[in-house]
C-alpha cells in the first residue's frame, strides 16, 4: 500500500514540475537585491537534487506499471497538485526542470557592471551561444534603489554573431552616483521558453560620510540638453531646497531615499568670463552642499579634409574644424591623426591642421582624423596618392625690366626634378599667362606692358594641371619710361626771298606716371647747304629757331633721358612754292559742343592732317600754338569747349600731310560762344536831315578779329524827344554788316528825335552810339496853308460878285444894331453847320480860345494869319485838329491842311485848322 502511495506521489510531482516549466512559471522574485551567499547556493543545489530524485522515482514507477500509475494518478492528482504548489511557494527556490537541456535554456551568466559617470551609462556583458542560427532574444530589467521600482524592462534582439560575448549599454537619466542600480538578464528560447533570471548585478551609488555630496560635480554637460542634479546628504540630514545659478527648482524624491534632485532643461553655455554653472542644496539649517559644472558642445566632425605636399618630404593635412570654441571652455578637445599601417602611432595635431613625414617608398595613404572631448568623439577618413597631391611652392622670383616688356624667372622648392610643371603668371593689371616647365627652373616674357607703369606679379605652379600650389607673394616692378615727341613748325618768310625762319615746336609725351621722367635736354638736327647741323636745347625748352632756304628740309628732334628709351620725331619743311591762301570759313558757335571741324578729304594727303590754332585766339603775335594730328582717312575733328574762352575768335589752319611736307588746305574761324560787342560804331557828322527824314551814316570794322562775335548787322532805334516824346521807339534792322547808313523817313517837321546805332552779333546788340537830331521846318507847306484859303475866298468872291447885293442882305447887319452874345453864338453855330465843322468830342486834339480884348492905344498886333493889319476888336485863335492813322514805321505820309477863316467887321482871324495825315 505504501509503495502505491509513493508511486502516486512521485508521478504527480514529476508531472507538476514539468507542467510548471512548460508554462514558464517563475516563483523566484526577491524584493531586495543583495549579493548571493554560500548557504543559499547550497540549499538551491539540494532542492535541485531532490527534484531530480523525485522525477527519477516517478519515472521508474511509471515504467514498471503504466496502467496502475495512470489509474491511481487520476484519483490523486488534484490534491497533490495543490499540496505541491503550496510547498513550492513556501519552501523552494526552484530553478530546475525535468530536463534542463531540452525544456529550459541555461541561465545567462553576466559579468560585472561597468559604470561611466561622465556619460551616465552602465555596460553589461554576457556570453552568447554562437551555434544559434536564429539569433537571441533577451529580457533586461534594471532596478533602482530607494523606490525599489523597475525603471527599465525591455526585450533585446541580437542577430547571429561570431562573438562569444555581447556588451549592452544603458544610459540613465539620474547620475549613477546618486542611487544604486541593479541589472539582471534572462534569455528567450524560440521566443517562448525563457531561462532563469541571472543574479542581480548592482552598481552602488555614493554614500555621504563626512559631508554632503552633489552630482554631477565639475563635469562638462552637453549644450541644449536636460540634466538632473542630485544631493546626497549625510545620515540624519534632510534636503529642503536646491538651486541652479541661485534659482530654486522643484525637488524630486526617490522613495525612502534621502537623496533629492532637480531637473534643469535646455542648458546653455554661460556668457560670463568663466563658462560654468553653480548648483547648491540646503537643509533647514542652511546650505549644506555646493558645486559647479561646465556646459559645452560635443566635437564636430572635420570637414573638407585634404592633404598636400610641396616637396614630397612632408605632408600637410588640413580641415575645417567647424564651430569655434571659447578659449575658456572647460571642455578640452584633442585632435589626433591616424595613419593606416603606420608603426609610429597617432600624431597629435593642432586645431585645424597636422603635419607628418612622408615615407620615401610609399605612394598611397589612408588616414583618419579623430576629434575628441569629454562629450564624445568624431572621426573623418581620407585616402590619397601623394603624387597627385603635390602643390609646388615657387621659391625665387626675379624680374628683368624693359619699356613694354619684362622677363620673369622662378624656381620651385624641393627635389621635384622627376615631375613636370604647369605654371601661371598673373600681372595686375593685366592677364594670366600659362607656361609649361620641364624643370624646376622656368621663365616667361611679359609683353604689351605700358611704359613707366607699376605692375604686381605672382606665380604658382601645378604638377597635374588641376591642383595648383599657392600664389607667391606679389612682386611689384615698374617698367622703364619711353619718351616720344610731337613736332610741329611755323614758317615765316623773311625779307630775303631765299631765307625762311622755321620755328620748330614740340611737346613731350611720356605715358605712365609711376615715376617722374628726367629729361636732360633735346637735340635738333637738320640739313642746310648740304651739311648736317645740330643744335642742343635744355630740358626747359620746347622750341628752336631754324633758318633754311627755299628748298625742302627734314628736321629731327630727339629727347635725351637717363633711363628708358626715346623715339626721335621727324618733320619735313616743304619747299617754298607760293600758293594761295584758302578763303576763311566761318564756324557756327555752340557753347556746349565746342568746335566741330570738317573739311574735304584731299587725295594728295598721304599721312593724315594737322589742325593748328593759337590758344590765345586773335591775339597777335601768337606765342602759344597748339596743333593736333588727325590720322589718314579721317576728315573731322571735335574739340571740347573747355579748352577755349567765350568771346574769343579762333582761327584753325588745316594742313594736309604729304611726302614733301604739310600744305595749307583750309582755314576755318569761329567762336566757342559769341558775346555782345563792346565797341560802339562811330557816327559820321553832320547828320543829313530834312523836315520829314534823317539819314545816319557810321563807320565800323565788322571783320575785326577782336570782336567777341561775328557782326551780323546793325540795330538803329529812333524815338521822339520833347513833351510828346513818350511814344515807344521804333527799330530799324540793317542785315548787311557792310551797309553802314540808313534813312529814317516819316518824321515830323521841326521835331527832335533821339537815335542810337549798335552792332549786332549772335549774342545780341552791343554798346550803342547815341545822337539827337531835330528835323527842319517845311515853309512851302506853310505858304500852301495860307494861300489855299485866300485863293478859295477870292474865287468865291469872283463867283458871288454879281450877287453881292443879295449876299449883303444875308450877312450885313443893319446900321446901329448891336449884336448880342446869344445872337453871336447862334450865328457861329449856323456857320459851323454850313462849314460842317467838327464838335469838340469828335476832335482828337482841340484847342479853342476866345479872346475879348480892348486894343491898346497905340494899336494892336493883328492875329496870326490875318489878311489885314487893322487892330481887331475881338480876336479868335484857330482850332487845330490832328488825325493820325496807324501806319508802319518809316512810311512816307501826305499831309492835308484845311483852314477856315471867319470875317468880322474889321478883320478876320485864322479859324479852325484841320490837319489830316494820310499814309501813301
Amino acid at each position: 500500500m505504501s509503495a502505491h502511495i509513493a508511486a502516486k506521489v512521485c508521478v504527480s510531482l514529476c508531472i507538476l514540475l514539468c507542467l510548471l516549466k512548460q508554462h514558464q512559471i517563475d516563483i523566484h522574485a526577491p524584493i531586495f537585491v543583495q549579493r548571493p551567499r554560500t548557504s543559499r547556493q547550497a540549499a538551491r543545489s539540494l532542492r535541485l537534487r531532490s527534484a531530480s530524485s523525485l522525477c527519477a522515482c516517478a519515472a521508474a514507477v511509471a515504467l514498471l506499471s503504466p496502467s496502475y500509475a495512470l489509474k491511481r494518478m487520476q484519483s490523486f492528482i488534484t490534491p497533490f497538485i495543490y499540496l505541491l504548489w503550496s510547498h513550492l511557494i513556501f519552501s523552494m527556490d526552484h530553478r530546475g526542470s525535468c530536463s534542463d537541456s531540452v525544456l529550459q535554456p541555461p541561465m545567462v551568466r553576466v559579468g560585472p557592471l561597468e559604470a561611466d559617470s561622465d556619460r551616465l551609462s552602465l555596460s553589461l556583458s554576457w556570453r552568447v551561444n554562437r551555434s544559434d542560427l536564429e539569433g537571441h532574444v533577451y529580457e533586461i530589467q534594471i532596478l533602482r534603489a530607494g523606490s525599489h521600482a523597475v525603471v527599465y524592462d525591455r526585450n533585446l534582439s541580437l542577430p547571429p554573431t561570431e562573438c562569444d560575448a555581447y556588451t549592452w549599454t544603458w544610459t540613465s537619466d539620474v547620475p549613477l552616483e546618486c542611487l544604486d542600480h541593479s541589472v539582471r538578464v534572462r534569455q528567450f528560447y524560440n521566443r517562448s521558453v525563457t531561462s532563469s533570471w541571472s543574479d542581480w548585478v548592482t552598481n552602488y551609488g555614493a554614500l555621504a560620510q563626512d559631508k554632503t555630496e552633489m552630482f554631477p560635480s565639475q563635469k562638462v554637460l552637453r549644450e541644449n540638453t536636460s540634466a538632473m542634479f542630485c544631493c546626497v546628504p549625510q545620515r540624519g540630514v534632510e534636503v529642503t531646497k536646491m538651486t541652479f545659478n541661485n534659482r530654486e527648482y522643484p525637488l524630486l524624491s526617490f522613495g525612502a531615499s534621502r537623496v533629492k534632485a532637480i531637473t534643469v532643461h535646455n542648458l546653455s553655455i554661460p556668457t560670463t568670463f568663466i563658462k560654468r554653472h553653480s548648483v547648491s542644496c540646503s537643509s533647514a539649517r542652511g546650505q549644506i552642499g555646493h558645486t559647479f559644472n561646465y556646459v559645452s558642445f560635443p566635437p564636430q566632425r572635420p570637414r573638407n579634409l585634404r592633404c598636400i605636399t610641396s616637396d614630397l618630404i612632408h605632408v600637410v593635412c588640413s580641415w575645417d574644424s567647424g564651430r569655434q570654441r571659447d578659449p575658456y571652455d572647460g571642455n578640452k578637445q584633442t585632435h589626433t591623426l591616424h595613419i593606416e599601417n603606420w608603426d609610429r602611432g597617432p600624431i597629435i595635431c593642432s586645431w585645424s591642421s597636422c603635419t607628418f613625414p612622408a615615407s620615401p617608398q610609399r605612394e598611397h595613404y589612408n588616414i583618419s582624423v579623430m576629434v575628441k572631448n569629454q562629450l564624445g568623439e568624431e572621426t573623418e577618413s581620407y585616402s590619397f596618392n601623394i603624387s597627385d597631391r603635390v602643390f609646388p611652392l615657387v621659391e625665387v622670383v626675379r624680374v628683368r625690366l624693359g619699356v613694354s616688356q619684362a622677363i620673369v624667372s622662378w624656381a620651385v622648392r624641393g627635389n621635384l626634378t622627376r615631375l613636370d610643371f604647369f605654371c601661371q603668371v598673373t600681372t595686375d593689371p593685366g592677364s594670366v599667362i600659362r607656361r609649361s616647365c620641364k624643370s624646376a627652373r622656368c621663365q616667361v616674357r611679359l609683353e604689351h606692358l605700358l611704359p613707366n607703369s607699376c605692375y604686381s606679379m605672382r606665380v604658382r605652379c601645378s604638377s597635374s594641371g588641376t591642383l595648383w600650389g599657392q600664389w607667391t607673394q606679389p612682386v611689384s616692378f615698374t617698367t622703364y619710361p619711353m619718351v616720344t615727341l610731337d613736332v610741329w613748325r611755323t614758317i615765316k618768310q623773311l625779307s630775303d626771298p631765299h631765307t625762311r625762319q622755321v620755328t620748330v615746336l614740340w611737346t613731350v609725351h611720356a605715358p605712365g606716371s609711376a615715376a617722374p621722367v628726367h629729361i636732360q635736354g633735346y637735340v635738333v638736327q637738320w640739313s642746310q647747304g648740304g651739311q648736317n647741323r645740330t643744335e642742343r636745347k635744355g630740358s626747359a625748352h620746347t622750341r628752336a629757331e631754324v633758318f633754311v632756304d627755299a628748298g625742302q628740309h627734314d628736321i629731327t628732334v630727339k629727347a635725351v633721358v637717363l633711363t628708358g628709351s626715346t623715339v626721335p620725331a621727324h618733320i619735313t619743311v616743304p619747299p617754298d612754292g607760293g600758293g594761295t591762301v584758302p578763303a576763311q570759313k566761318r564756324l557756327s558757335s555752340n557753347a556746349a559742343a565746342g568746335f566741330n571741324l570738317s573739311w574735304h578729304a584731299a587725295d594728295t594727303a598721304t599721312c593724315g592732317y594737322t589742325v593748328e590754332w593759337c590758344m590765345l585766339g586773335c591775339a597777335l603775335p601768337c606765342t602759344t600754338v597748339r596743333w593736333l594730328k588727325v590720322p589718314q582717312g579721317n576728315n573731322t575733328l571735335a574739340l571740347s569747349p573747355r579748352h577755349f574762352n567765350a568771346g574769343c575768335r579762333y582761327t584753325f589752319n588745316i594742313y594736309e600731310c604729304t611726302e614733301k611736307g604739310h600744305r595749307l588746305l583750309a582755314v576755318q574761324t569761329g567762336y566757342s560762344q559769341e558775346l555782345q560787342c563792346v565797341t560802339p560804331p562811330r557816327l559820321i557828322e553832320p547828320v543829313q536831315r530834312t523836315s520829314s527824314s534823317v539819314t545816319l551814316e557810321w563807320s565800323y570794322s565788322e571783320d575785326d578779329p577782336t570782336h567777341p562775335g561775328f557782326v551780323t548787322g546793325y540795330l538803329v532805334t529812333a524815338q521822339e524827344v520833347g513833351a510828346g516824346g513818350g511814344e515807344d521807339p521804333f527799330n530799324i534792322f540793317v542785315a548787311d554788316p557792310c551797309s553802314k547808313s540808313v534813312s529814317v523817313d516819316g518824321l515830323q517837321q521841326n521835331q527832335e528825335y533821339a537815335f542810337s546805332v549798335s552792332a549786332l552779333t549772335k549774342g545780341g546788340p552791343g554798346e550803342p552810339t547815341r545822337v539827337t537830331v531835330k528835323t527842319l521846318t517845311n515853309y512851302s507847306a506853310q505858304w500852301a496853308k495860307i494861300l489855299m484859303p485866300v485863293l478859295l475866298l477870292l474865287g468865291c468872291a469872283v463867283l458871288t460878285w454879281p450877287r453881292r447885293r443879295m449876299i449883303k442882305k444875308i450877312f450885313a447887319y443893319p446900321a446901329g444894331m448891336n449884336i448880342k452874345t446869344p445872337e453871336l453864338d447862334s450865328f457861329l453855330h449856323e456857320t459851323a453847320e454850313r462849314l460842317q465843322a467838327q464838335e469838340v468830342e469828335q476832335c482828337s486834339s482841340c484847342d479853342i480860345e476866345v479872346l475879348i480884348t480892348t486894343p491898346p492905344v497905340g494899336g494892336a498886333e493883328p492875329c496870326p494869319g490875318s489878311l489885314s493889319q487893322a487892330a481887331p476888336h475881338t480876336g479868335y485863335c484857330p482850332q487845330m485838329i490832328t488825325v493820325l492813322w496807324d501806319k508802319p514805321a518809316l512810311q512816307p505820309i501826305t499831309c492835308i491842311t484845311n483852314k477856315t477863316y471867319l470875317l468880322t467887321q474889321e478883320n478876320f482871324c485864322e479859324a479852325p485848322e484841320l490837319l489830316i495825315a494820310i499814309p501813301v
Side-chain angles (χ1 to χ4, degrees):
M1 186 66 180
S2 60
H4 291 290
I5 296 173
K8 293 178 183 179
V9 171
C10 289
V11 172
S12 302
L13 181 61
C14 183
I15 295 172
L16 179 61
L17 290 176
C18 293
L19 292 174
L20 290 176
K21 286 300 179 179
Q22 289 179 358
H23 292 281
Q24 297 294 309
I25 300 174
D26 185 14
I27 59 175
H28 180 254
I31 59 175
F32 189 74
V33 179
Q34 294 183 349
R35 294 182 180 180
R37 298 177 182 178
T38 306
S39 59
R40 181 177 298 178
Q41 293 177 354
R44 174 174 173 270
S45 301
L46 179 60
R47 286 194 296 268
L48 290 175
R49 285 195 297 269
S50 299
S52 300
S53 300
L54 288 175
C55 290
C57 179
V61 173
L63 291 174
L64 294 175
S65 180
S67 59
Y68 177 77
L70 292 175
K71 291 180 181 180
R72 302 304 299 175
M73 186 171 54
Q74 292 177 355
S75 59
F76 292 100
I77 188 163
T78 302
F80 275 101
I81 289 175
Y82 286 114
L83 180 63
L84 182 61
W85 177 256
S86 300
H87 173 75
L88 290 175
I89 291 177
F90 293 103
S91 63
M92 291 184 61
D93 184 12
H94 181 70
R95 293 181 180 270
S97 64
C98 293
S99 177
D100 291 339
S101 60
V102 177
L103 297 178
Q104 185 179 27
M107 183 180 63
V108 178
R109 298 184 179 274
V110 298
L113 281 176
E114 294 182 3
D116 188 346
S117 60
D118 292 337
R119 292 178 171 80
L120 304 181
S121 62
L122 291 175
S123 297
L124 181 66
S125 300
W126 62 86
R127 298 182 63 84
V128 297
N129 187 8
R130 290 185 298 176
S131 61
D132 192 352
L133 300 178
E134 297 181 359
H136 305 273
V137 177
Y138 297 89
E139 182 181 2
I140 303 175
Q141 288 185 350
I142 299 178
L143 184 70
R144 181 174 290 165
S147 61
H148 306 298
V150 175
V151 296
Y152 184 87
D153 188 357
R154 300 284 178 86
N155 291 338
L156 177 65
S157 297
L158 298 181
T161 178
E162 296 296 331
C163 300
D164 295 334
Y166 179 78
T167 300
W168 174 78
T169 302
W170 173 73
T171 301
S172 173
D173 58 342
V174 178
L176 300 179
E177 300 88 347
C178 298
L179 297 168
D180 297 345
H181 292 82
S182 300
V183 183
R184 68 176 181 175
V185 182
R186 69 177 178 178
Q187 182 181 2
F188 284 89
Y189 181 74
N190 291 333
R191 300 185 181 274
S192 59
V193 182
T194 63
S195 68
S196 301
W197 284 105
S198 67
D199 293 331
W200 291 100
V201 183
T202 304
N203 177 73
Y204 297 96
L207 182 62
Q209 299 291 339
D210 300 333
K211 62 178 181 179
T212 300
E213 296 188 18
M214 301 189 67
F215 302 98
S217 178
Q218 300 184 15
K219 300 293 184 179
V220 178
L221 307 179
R222 186 185 294 265
E223 181 186 17
N224 298 327
T225 60
S226 299
M228 181 177 291
F229 302 91
C230 69
C231 180
V232 183
Q234 303 175 18
R235 186 179 299 273
V237 178
E238 182 179 359
V239 177
T240 59
K241 182 177 70 172
M242 291 186 66
T243 61
F244 180 83
N245 286 340
N246 299 324
R247 177 184 174 185
E248 185 177 355
Y249 281 76
L251 293 177
L252 301 177
S253 300
F254 301 95
S257 175
R258 304 188 308 272
V259 178
K260 302 294 181 182
I262 61 173
T263 302
V264 179
H265 301 283
N266 195 20
L267 294 175
S268 61
I269 299 177
T271 58
T272 57
F273 181 75
I274 301 177
K275 312 297 182 182
R276 65 185 186 183
H277 295 289
S278 63
V279 184
S280 64
C281 65
S282 304
S283 65
R285 296 182 179 181
Q287 181 174 314
I288 59 176
H290 180 271
T291 189
F292 61 86
N293 294 276
Y294 300 96
V295 176
S296 183
F297 55 92
Q300 294 184 328
R301 187 175 183 179
R303 295 175 298 177
N304 301 324
L305 175 60
R306 65 171 188 168
C307 297
I308 62 173
T309 180
S310 59
D311 51 8
L312 296 179
I313 298 176
H314 297 88
V315 179
V316 179
C317 297
S318 60
W319 58 86
D320 183 4
S321 300
R323 182 179 177 183
Q324 298 295 322
R325 294 185 177 272
D326 191 273
Y328 299 95
D329 191 346
N331 188 15
K332 301 304 179 182
Q333 187 166 269
T334 60
H335 297 74
T336 55
L337 186 143
H338 303 264
I339 305 175
E340 185 178 337
N341 299 326
W342 183 264
D343 56 357
R344 300 183 185 180
I347 301 172
I348 305 301
C349 305
S350 64
W351 179 263
S352 60
S353 64
C354 199
T355 302
F356 65 91
S359 298
Q361 305 301 326
R362 188 171 183 174
E363 284 288 329
H364 191 77
Y365 289 83
N366 294 322
I367 67 169
S368 61
V369 176
M370 178 182 293
V371 184
K372 185 177 182 180
N373 60 21
Q374 299 182 40
L375 296 179
E377 64 181 34
E378 291 288 345
T379 303
E380 178 67 14
S381 300
Y382 180 65
S383 299
F384 63 94
N385 194 321
I386 192 171
S387 299
D388 298 334
R389 305 302 301 174
V390 177
F391 285 68
L393 296 180
V394 178
E395 190 172 32
V396 180
V397 176
R398 295 180 180 178
V399 182
R400 287 183 292 173
L401 300 178
V403 174
S404 60
Q405 64 181 7
I407 298 177
V408 180
S409 59
W410 63 90
V412 178
R413 182 186 303 175
N415 186 16
L416 304 177
T417 55
R418 62 186 179 90
L419 300 177
D420 294 336
F421 298 101
F422 297 94
C423 297
Q424 287 182 341
V425 181
T426 177
T427 56
D428 184 21
S431 58
V432 178
I433 300 176
R434 184 170 178 174
R435 178 59 55 90
S436 175
C437 300
K438 297 298 182 181
S439 64
R441 294 184 176 272
C442 193
Q443 70 177 15
V444 68
R445 182 187 299 272
L446 304 178
E447 298 179 339
H448 308 294
L449 304 179
L450 297 178
N452 195 22
S453 299
C454 290
Y455 289 90
S456 178
M457 182 272 304
R458 297 183 301 166
V459 181
R460 69 173 181 176
C461 296
S462 172
S463 62
S464 60
T466 56
L467 300 178
W468 294 89
Q470 294 181 354
W471 288 102
T472 62
Q473 293 296 324
V475 177
S476 300
F477 62 91
T478 302
T479 55
Y480 289 141
M482 181 177 63
V483 179
T484 59
L485 301 178
D486 187 9
V487 180
W488 184 240
R489 87 294 179 275
T490 60
I491 303 174
K492 180 180 179 181
Q493 183 66 49
L494 300 180
S495 58
D496 185 359
H498 300 289
T499 303
R500 294 179 294 172
Q501 179 183 353
V502 179
T503 302
V504 182
L505 308 171
W506 62 84
T507 57
V508 179
H509 294 278
S513 59
V517 180
H518 300 285
I519 299 177
Q520 294 181 316
Y522 304 93
V523 178
V524 183
Q525 295 178 340
W526 74 98
S527 60
Q528 175 68 27
Q531 297 180 356
N532 293 329
R533 298 188 178 184
T534 301
E535 182 178 354
R536 298 183 179 275
K537 292 291 184 179
S539 60
H541 292 78
T542 57
R543 62 170 55 203
E545 304 291 341
V546 177
F547 295 93
V548 297
D549 55 20
Q552 178 178 329
H553 299 274
D554 292 330
I555 301 177
T556 302
V557 183
K558 182 179 180 180
V560 180
V561 296
L562 289 175
T563 58
S565 63
T566 179
V567 179
H570 305 274
I571 192 169
T572 300
V573 178
D576 185 10
T580 58
V581 178
Q584 287 189 356
K585 174 185 175 182
R586 288 189 175 184
L587 302 171
S588 59
S589 61
N590 190 335
F595 290 102
N596 293 317
L597 307 179
S598 62
W599 57 89
H600 295 287
D603 298 334
T604 56
T606 58
C607 49
Y609 305 90
T610 300
V611 180
E612 173 198 61
W613 72 93
C614 180
M615 287 301 298
L616 301 180
C618 56
L620 294 176
C622 181
T623 58
T624 307
V625 178
R626 290 289 182 268
W627 65 93
L628 192 62
K629 295 183 178 180
V630 181
Q632 179 71 18
N634 192 359
N635 60 339
T636 59
L637 178 63
L639 300 176
S640 175
R642 65 175 181 270
H643 302 299
F644 301 94
N645 299 323
C648 186
R649 183 186 296 185
Y650 294 90
T651 300
F652 300 92
N653 298 323
I654 302 173
Y655 295 85
E656 62 171 328
C657 178
T658 64
E659 296 179 354
K660 295 183 179 181
H662 291 77
R663 186 181 67 87
L664 184 61
L665 180 64
V667 179
Q668 299 180 7
T669 182
Y671 299 83
S672 63
Q673 183 180 359
E674 296 188 40
L675 304 178
Q676 298 176 352
C677 290
V678 296
T679 303
R682 186 177 63 84
L683 289 174
I684 300 177
E685 295 183 355
V687 178
Q688 300 179 14
R689 56 179 180 162
T690 63
S691 60
S692 61
S693 65
V694 172
T695 301
L696 300 177
E697 295 183 359
W698 60 89
S699 62
Y700 197 72
S701 179
E702 66 278 0
D703 292 328
D704 190 351
T706 60
H707 289 328
F710 291 119
V711 177
T712 58
Y714 304 93
L715 174 64
V716 180
T717 62
Q719 186 175 18
E720 186 177 340
V721 179
E727 299 179 0
D728 295 333
F730 54 89
N731 301 329
I732 302 175
F733 293 95
V734 179
D736 187 3
C738 297
S739 178
K740 301 168 185 175
S741 64
V742 67
S743 294
V744 183
D745 299 329
L747 306 179
Q748 297 183 14
Q749 63 176 347
N750 196 24
Q751 177 66 44
E752 287 187 350
Y753 290 91
F755 296 92
S756 65
V757 181
S758 59
L760 289 175
T761 63
K762 193 175 181 179
E767 188 70 22
T769 297
R770 304 180 186 279
V771 66
T772 302
V773 181
K774 185 177 182 181
T775 57
L776 301 177
T777 303
N778 190 355
Y779 292 101
S780 59
Q782 294 293 334
W783 280 108
K785 292 179 182 180
I786 296 173
L787 292 178
M788 285 180 64
V790 172
L791 293 177
L792 183 59
L793 291 176
L794 289 176
C796 293
V798 172
L799 294 175
T800 58
W801 180 256
R803 299 179 181 273
R804 60 183 179 277
R805 294 182 180 275
M806 183 181 60
I807 295 174
K808 184 177 180 181
K809 291 180 180 180
I810 297 174
F811 291 99
Y813 296 100
M817 181 181 293
N818 293 325
I819 302 175
K820 298 179 180 179
T821 302
E823 296 176 353
L824 179 59
D825 292 340
S826 177
F827 172 74
L828 292 176
H829 178 69
E830 182 180 355
T831 304
E833 290 182 350
R834 292 182 179 180
L835 295 176
Q836 296 182 355
Q838 293 182 344
E839 298 293 336
V840 177
E841 293 80 1
Q842 300 175 355
C843 297
S844 60
S845 177
C846 183
D847 294 327
I848 301 176
E849 185 176 0
V850 179
L851 300 178
I852 302 176
T853 60
T854 302
V857 178
E861 295 181 1
C863 291
S866 63
L867 299 177
S868 175
Q869 298 297 327
H873 178 70
T874 300
Y876 178 74
C877 291
Q879 173 185 357
M880 184 178 67
I881 301 173
T882 304
V883 180
L884 300 179
W885 285 270
D886 295 335
K887 62 181 182 65
L890 302 179
Q891 290 187 358
I893 61 176
T894 300
C895 298
I896 302 174
T897 304
N898 293 328
K899 293 187 178 180
T900 303
Y901 295 89
L902 301 179
L903 184 61
T904 61
Q905 292 179 355
E906 298 180 356
N907 59 359
F908 62 91
C909 292
E910 185 178 356
E913 179 181 353
L914 177 62
L915 176 61
I916 302 174
I918 303 175
V920 178

